[in-house]
Amino acid sequence: MPAPKLTAALIATALAAAAAPAIAETIYVYTPPERTVYVPVETVTTDDYYTYYTAPTTTITVYGTRGDEDALITNDVVTELAFDPWISGTVGVETNNNVVTLNGRVSTPGQALRADADAHRVDGVSEVQNRLKTRVGGS
């Protein structure tokens, strides 16, 4: 009866081999690029070494509104004042026909003059009306 023991050993070995994890294999998955733009070729010329492609002449139309010049000047003056570390206070900026009006309060008369100079530095400003009030030591 040695055959049943041998058969049991073979069955145990076969079951162990079947339960073992499979060998890892590398799987490659092709993913296309996010956006591919194909431009039709208008002309192709070839010489002995190179092939030359000429892109088609197309017109690009951009739709949008041009910003109002006064709004652009106001934005530039506000940016100029915001990045000036020597000015503290509350400054309002209004622009009408390229004339900038500064309203509000700053700490010193020197800061009012500096704000005036910052506004003059912006392109497109024809005049600055400085109506800034000073409050020394106050907030």
Side-chain angles (χ1 to χ4, degrees):
M1 294 276 226
K5 287 183 182 179
L6 183 60
T7 306
L10 286 174
I11 292 173
T13 305
L15 286 175
I23 297 173
E25 62 182 88
T26 305
I27 299 174
Y28 297 97
V29 178
Y30 172 74
T31 54
E34 289 184 21
R35 183 175 180 185
T36 305
V37 178
Y38 296 99
V39 177
V41 176
E42 227 174 58
T43 58
V44 177
T45 56
T46 306
D47 60 14
D48 292 338
Y49 299 104
Y50 302 104
T51 302
Y52 300 96
Y53 298 96
T54 303
T57 56
T58 58
T59 304
I60 299 173
T61 306
V62 178
Y63 296 97
T65 58
R66 182 173 171 85
D68 181 26
E69 188 174 7
D70 286 340
L72 295 173
I73 289 173
T74 300
N75 187 34
D76 290 347
V77 171
V78 167
T79 303
E80 191 77 27
L81 294 173
F83 284 109
D84 191 338
W86 300 103
I87 296 177
S88 62
T90 305
V91 179
V93 180
E94 295 176 6
T95 306
N96 189 13
N97 292 329
N98 298 3
V99 176
V100 175
T101 304
L102 302 176
N103 294 307
R105 293 195 181 271
V106 291
S107 299
T108 65
Q111 288 181 2
L113 292 173
R114 189 169 180 99
D116 187 272
D118 286 348
H120 269 92
R121 198 170 24 251
V122 172
D123 287 337
V125 174
S126 61
E127 181 184 344
V128 176
Q129 296 177 353
N130 192 342
R131 297 181 182 160
L132 291 172
K133 297 184 181 182
T134 59
R135 182 183 289 181
V136 177
S139 55

mmCIF file with all atom_site columns, all heavy atoms in Angstrom, residues 3-19:
data_model
loop_
_atom_site.group_PDB
_atom_site.id
_atom_site.type_symbol
_atom_site.label_atom_id
_atom_site.label_alt_id
_atom_site.label_comp_id
_atom_site.label_asym_id
_atom_site.label_entity_id
_atom_site.label_seq_id
_atom_site.pdbx_PDB_ins_code
_atom_site.Cartn_x
_atom_site.Cartn_y
_atom_site.Cartn_z
_atom_site.occupancy
_atom_site.B_iso_or_equiv
_atom_site.pdbx_formal_charge
_atom_site.auth_seq_id
_atom_site.auth_comp_id
_atom_site.auth_asym_id
_atom_site.auth_atom_id
_atom_site.pdbx_PDB_model_num
ATOM 1   N N   . ALA A 1 3  ? 1.490  3.010  -2.491 1.00 0.00 ? 3  ALA A N   1
ATOM 2   C CA  . ALA A 1 3  ? 0.966  3.884  -3.543 1.00 0.00 ? 3  ALA A CA  1
ATOM 3   C C   . ALA A 1 3  ? 0.042  4.965  -3.003 1.00 0.00 ? 3  ALA A C   1
ATOM 4   O O   . ALA A 1 3  ? 0.124  6.102  -3.438 1.00 0.00 ? 3  ALA A O   1
ATOM 5   C CB  . ALA A 1 3  ? 0.263  3.051  -4.587 1.00 0.00 ? 3  ALA A CB  1
ATOM 6   N N   . PRO A 1 4  ? -0.835 4.704  -2.027 1.00 0.00 ? 4  PRO A N   1
ATOM 7   C CA  . PRO A 1 4  ? -1.690 5.787  -1.543 1.00 0.00 ? 4  PRO A CA  1
ATOM 8   C C   . PRO A 1 4  ? -0.899 6.910  -0.892 1.00 0.00 ? 4  PRO A C   1
ATOM 9   O O   . PRO A 1 4  ? -1.268 8.074  -1.005 1.00 0.00 ? 4  PRO A O   1
ATOM 10  C CB  . PRO A 1 4  ? -2.599 5.103  -0.541 1.00 0.00 ? 4  PRO A CB  1
ATOM 11  C CG  . PRO A 1 4  ? -2.593 3.670  -0.891 1.00 0.00 ? 4  PRO A CG  1
ATOM 12  C CD  . PRO A 1 4  ? -1.257 3.420  -1.531 1.00 0.00 ? 4  PRO A CD  1
ATOM 13  N N   . LYS A 1 5  ? 0.216  6.616  -0.189 1.00 0.00 ? 5  LYS A N   1
ATOM 14  C CA  . LYS A 1 5  ? 1.006  7.686  0.420  1.00 0.00 ? 5  LYS A CA  1
ATOM 15  C C   . LYS A 1 5  ? 1.640  8.557  -0.660 1.00 0.00 ? 5  LYS A C   1
ATOM 16  O O   . LYS A 1 5  ? 1.688  9.767  -0.550 1.00 0.00 ? 5  LYS A O   1
ATOM 17  C CB  . LYS A 1 5  ? 2.086  7.096  1.323  1.00 0.00 ? 5  LYS A CB  1
ATOM 18  C CG  . LYS A 1 5  ? 1.565  6.522  2.587  1.00 0.00 ? 5  LYS A CG  1
ATOM 19  C CD  . LYS A 1 5  ? 2.715  6.042  3.424  1.00 0.00 ? 5  LYS A CD  1
ATOM 20  C CE  . LYS A 1 5  ? 2.189  5.415  4.694  1.00 0.00 ? 5  LYS A CE  1
ATOM 21  N NZ  . LYS A 1 5  ? 3.226  4.912  5.533  1.00 0.00 ? 5  LYS A NZ  1
ATOM 22  N N   . LEU A 1 6  ? 2.119  7.921  -1.681 1.00 0.00 ? 6  LEU A N   1
ATOM 23  C CA  . LEU A 1 6  ? 2.727  8.664  -2.772 1.00 0.00 ? 6  LEU A CA  1
ATOM 24  C C   . LEU A 1 6  ? 1.690  9.512  -3.487 1.00 0.00 ? 6  LEU A C   1
ATOM 25  O O   . LEU A 1 6  ? 1.931  10.661 -3.832 1.00 0.00 ? 6  LEU A O   1
ATOM 26  C CB  . LEU A 1 6  ? 3.394  7.682  -3.753 1.00 0.00 ? 6  LEU A CB  1
ATOM 27  C CG  . LEU A 1 6  ? 4.134  8.313  -4.929 1.00 0.00 ? 6  LEU A CG  1
ATOM 28  C CD1 . LEU A 1 6  ? 5.259  9.206  -4.438 1.00 0.00 ? 6  LEU A CD1 1
ATOM 29  C CD2 . LEU A 1 6  ? 4.655  7.253  -5.863 1.00 0.00 ? 6  LEU A CD2 1
ATOM 30  N N   . THR A 1 7  ? 0.509  8.987  -3.648 1.00 0.00 ? 7  THR A N   1
ATOM 31  C CA  . THR A 1 7  ? -0.557 9.728  -4.310 1.00 0.00 ? 7  THR A CA  1
ATOM 32  C C   . THR A 1 7  ? -0.964 10.924 -3.472 1.00 0.00 ? 7  THR A C   1
ATOM 33  O O   . THR A 1 7  ? -1.179 12.012 -3.997 1.00 0.00 ? 7  THR A O   1
ATOM 34  C CB  . THR A 1 7  ? -1.775 8.811  -4.542 1.00 0.00 ? 7  THR A CB  1
ATOM 35  O OG1 . THR A 1 7  ? -1.357 7.645  -5.249 1.00 0.00 ? 7  THR A OG1 1
ATOM 36  C CG2 . THR A 1 7  ? -2.843 9.515  -5.331 1.00 0.00 ? 7  THR A CG2 1
ATOM 37  N N   . ALA A 1 8  ? -1.007 10.785 -2.174 1.00 0.00 ? 8  ALA A N   1
ATOM 38  C CA  . ALA A 1 8  ? -1.355 11.907 -1.295 1.00 0.00 ? 8  ALA A CA  1
ATOM 39  C C   . ALA A 1 8  ? -0.286 12.992 -1.353 1.00 0.00 ? 8  ALA A C   1
ATOM 40  O O   . ALA A 1 8  ? -0.578 14.187 -1.338 1.00 0.00 ? 8  ALA A O   1
ATOM 41  C CB  . ALA A 1 8  ? -1.556 11.402 0.131  1.00 0.00 ? 8  ALA A CB  1
ATOM 42  N N   . ALA A 1 9  ? 0.980  12.593 -1.433 1.00 0.00 ? 9  ALA A N   1
ATOM 43  C CA  . ALA A 1 9  ? 2.066  13.569 -1.529 1.00 0.00 ? 9  ALA A CA  1
ATOM 44  C C   . ALA A 1 9  ? 2.006  14.325 -2.842 1.00 0.00 ? 9  ALA A C   1
ATOM 45  O O   . ALA A 1 9  ? 2.226  15.539 -2.899 1.00 0.00 ? 9  ALA A O   1
ATOM 46  C CB  . ALA A 1 9  ? 3.400  12.870 -1.368 1.00 0.00 ? 9  ALA A CB  1
ATOM 47  N N   . LEU A 1 10 ? 1.692  13.624 -3.926 1.00 0.00 ? 10 LEU A N   1
ATOM 48  C CA  . LEU A 1 10 ? 1.577  14.291 -5.224 1.00 0.00 ? 10 LEU A CA  1
ATOM 49  C C   . LEU A 1 10 ? 0.394  15.251 -5.249 1.00 0.00 ? 10 LEU A C   1
ATOM 50  O O   . LEU A 1 10 ? 0.477  16.349 -5.802 1.00 0.00 ? 10 LEU A O   1
ATOM 51  C CB  . LEU A 1 10 ? 1.435  13.247 -6.340 1.00 0.00 ? 10 LEU A CB  1
ATOM 52  C CG  . LEU A 1 10 ? 2.695  12.495 -6.708 1.00 0.00 ? 10 LEU A CG  1
ATOM 53  C CD1 . LEU A 1 10 ? 2.379  11.404 -7.713 1.00 0.00 ? 10 LEU A CD1 1
ATOM 54  C CD2 . LEU A 1 10 ? 3.733  13.433 -7.272 1.00 0.00 ? 10 LEU A CD2 1
ATOM 55  N N   . ILE A 1 11 ? -0.692 14.849 -4.648 1.00 0.00 ? 11 ILE A N   1
ATOM 56  C CA  . ILE A 1 11 ? -1.873 15.722 -4.598 1.00 0.00 ? 11 ILE A CA  1
ATOM 57  C C   . ILE A 1 11 ? -1.569 16.964 -3.777 1.00 0.00 ? 11 ILE A C   1
ATOM 58  O O   . ILE A 1 11 ? -1.920 18.085 -4.155 1.00 0.00 ? 11 ILE A O   1
ATOM 59  C CB  . ILE A 1 11 ? -3.081 14.956 -4.042 1.00 0.00 ? 11 ILE A CB  1
ATOM 60  C CG1 . ILE A 1 11 ? -3.504 13.872 -5.035 1.00 0.00 ? 11 ILE A CG1 1
ATOM 61  C CG2 . ILE A 1 11 ? -4.238 15.889 -3.740 1.00 0.00 ? 11 ILE A CG2 1
ATOM 62  C CD1 . ILE A 1 11 ? -4.586 12.952 -4.522 1.00 0.00 ? 11 ILE A CD1 1
ATOM 63  N N   . ALA A 1 12 ? -0.869 16.811 -2.657 1.00 0.00 ? 12 ALA A N   1
ATOM 64  C CA  . ALA A 1 12 ? -0.515 17.961 -1.807 1.00 0.00 ? 12 ALA A CA  1
ATOM 65  C C   . ALA A 1 12 ? 0.410  18.918 -2.564 1.00 0.00 ? 12 ALA A C   1
ATOM 66  O O   . ALA A 1 12 ? 0.271  20.139 -2.487 1.00 0.00 ? 12 ALA A O   1
ATOM 67  C CB  . ALA A 1 12 ? 0.138  17.468 -0.521 1.00 0.00 ? 12 ALA A CB  1
ATOM 68  N N   . THR A 1 13 ? 1.361  18.370 -3.315 1.00 0.00 ? 13 THR A N   1
ATOM 69  C CA  . THR A 1 13 ? 2.273  19.207 -4.096 1.00 0.00 ? 13 THR A CA  1
ATOM 70  C C   . THR A 1 13 ? 1.530  19.937 -5.211 1.00 0.00 ? 13 THR A C   1
ATOM 71  O O   . THR A 1 13 ? 1.759  21.119 -5.469 1.00 0.00 ? 13 THR A O   1
ATOM 72  C CB  . THR A 1 13 ? 3.398  18.346 -4.697 1.00 0.00 ? 13 THR A CB  1
ATOM 73  O OG1 . THR A 1 13 ? 4.043  17.628 -3.664 1.00 0.00 ? 13 THR A OG1 1
ATOM 74  C CG2 . THR A 1 13 ? 4.403  19.195 -5.437 1.00 0.00 ? 13 THR A CG2 1
ATOM 75  N N   . ALA A 1 14 ? 0.609  19.257 -5.850 1.00 0.00 ? 14 ALA A N   1
ATOM 76  C CA  . ALA A 1 14 ? -0.167 19.872 -6.929 1.00 0.00 ? 14 ALA A CA  1
ATOM 77  C C   . ALA A 1 14 ? -1.056 20.987 -6.390 1.00 0.00 ? 14 ALA A C   1
ATOM 78  O O   . ALA A 1 14 ? -1.195 22.047 -7.003 1.00 0.00 ? 14 ALA A O   1
ATOM 79  C CB  . ALA A 1 14 ? -0.999 18.820 -7.643 1.00 0.00 ? 14 ALA A CB  1
ATOM 80  N N   . LEU A 1 15 ? -1.680 20.763 -5.224 1.00 0.00 ? 15 LEU A N   1
ATOM 81  C CA  . LEU A 1 15 ? -2.522 21.803 -4.613 1.00 0.00 ? 15 LEU A CA  1
ATOM 82  C C   . LEU A 1 15 ? -1.686 23.020 -4.183 1.00 0.00 ? 15 LEU A C   1
ATOM 83  O O   . LEU A 1 15 ? -2.101 24.159 -4.328 1.00 0.00 ? 15 LEU A O   1
ATOM 84  C CB  . LEU A 1 15 ? -3.287 21.227 -3.421 1.00 0.00 ? 15 LEU A CB  1
ATOM 85  C CG  . LEU A 1 15 ? -4.442 20.308 -3.770 1.00 0.00 ? 15 LEU A CG  1
ATOM 86  C CD1 . LEU A 1 15 ? -5.042 19.704 -2.518 1.00 0.00 ? 15 LEU A CD1 1
ATOM 87  C CD2 . LEU A 1 15 ? -5.499 21.045 -4.560 1.00 0.00 ? 15 LEU A CD2 1
ATOM 88  N N   . ALA A 1 16 ? -0.497 22.802 -3.659 1.00 0.00 ? 16 ALA A N   1
ATOM 89  C CA  . ALA A 1 16 ? 0.375  23.898 -3.245 1.00 0.00 ? 16 ALA A CA  1
ATOM 90  C C   . ALA A 1 16 ? 0.811  24.730 -4.449 1.00 0.00 ? 16 ALA A C   1
ATOM 91  O O   . ALA A 1 16 ? 0.884  25.953 -4.394 1.00 0.00 ? 16 ALA A O   1
ATOM 92  C CB  . ALA A 1 16 ? 1.581  23.353 -2.494 1.00 0.00 ? 16 ALA A CB  1
ATOM 93  N N   . ALA A 1 17 ? 1.084  24.076 -5.548 1.00 0.00 ? 17 ALA A N   1
ATOM 94  C CA  . ALA A 1 17 ? 1.491  24.791 -6.758 1.00 0.00 ? 17 ALA A CA  1
ATOM 95  C C   . ALA A 1 17 ? 0.334  25.605 -7.330 1.00 0.00 ? 17 ALA A C   1
ATOM 96  O O   . ALA A 1 17 ? 0.512  26.705 -7.836 1.00 0.00 ? 17 ALA A O   1
ATOM 97  C CB  . ALA A 1 17 ? 2.018  23.814 -7.788 1.00 0.00 ? 17 ALA A CB  1
ATOM 98  N N   . ALA A 1 18 ? -0.861 25.066 -7.218 1.00 0.00 ? 18 ALA A N   1
ATOM 99  C CA  . ALA A 1 18 ? -2.025 25.779 -7.741 1.00 0.00 ? 18 ALA A CA  1
ATOM 100 C C   . ALA A 1 18 ? -2.382 26.973 -6.870 1.00 0.00 ? 18 ALA A C   1
ATOM 101 O O   . ALA A 1 18 ? -2.873 27.986 -7.345 1.00 0.00 ? 18 ALA A O   1
ATOM 102 C CB  . ALA A 1 18 ? -3.213 24.823 -7.846 1.00 0.00 ? 18 ALA A CB  1
ATOM 103 N N   . ALA A 1 19 ? -2.115 26.885 -5.580 1.00 0.00 ? 19 ALA A N   1
ATOM 104 C CA  . ALA A 1 19 ? -2.454 27.967 -4.656 1.00 0.00 ? 19 ALA A CA  1
ATOM 105 C C   . ALA A 1 19 ? -1.389 29.055 -4.633 1.00 0.00 ? 19 ALA A C   1
ATOM 106 O O   . ALA A 1 19 ? -1.622 30.139 -4.127 1.00 0.00 ? 19 ALA A O   1
ATOM 107 C CB  . ALA A 1 19 ? -2.656 27.404 -3.257 1.00 0.00 ? 19 ALA A CB  1
#
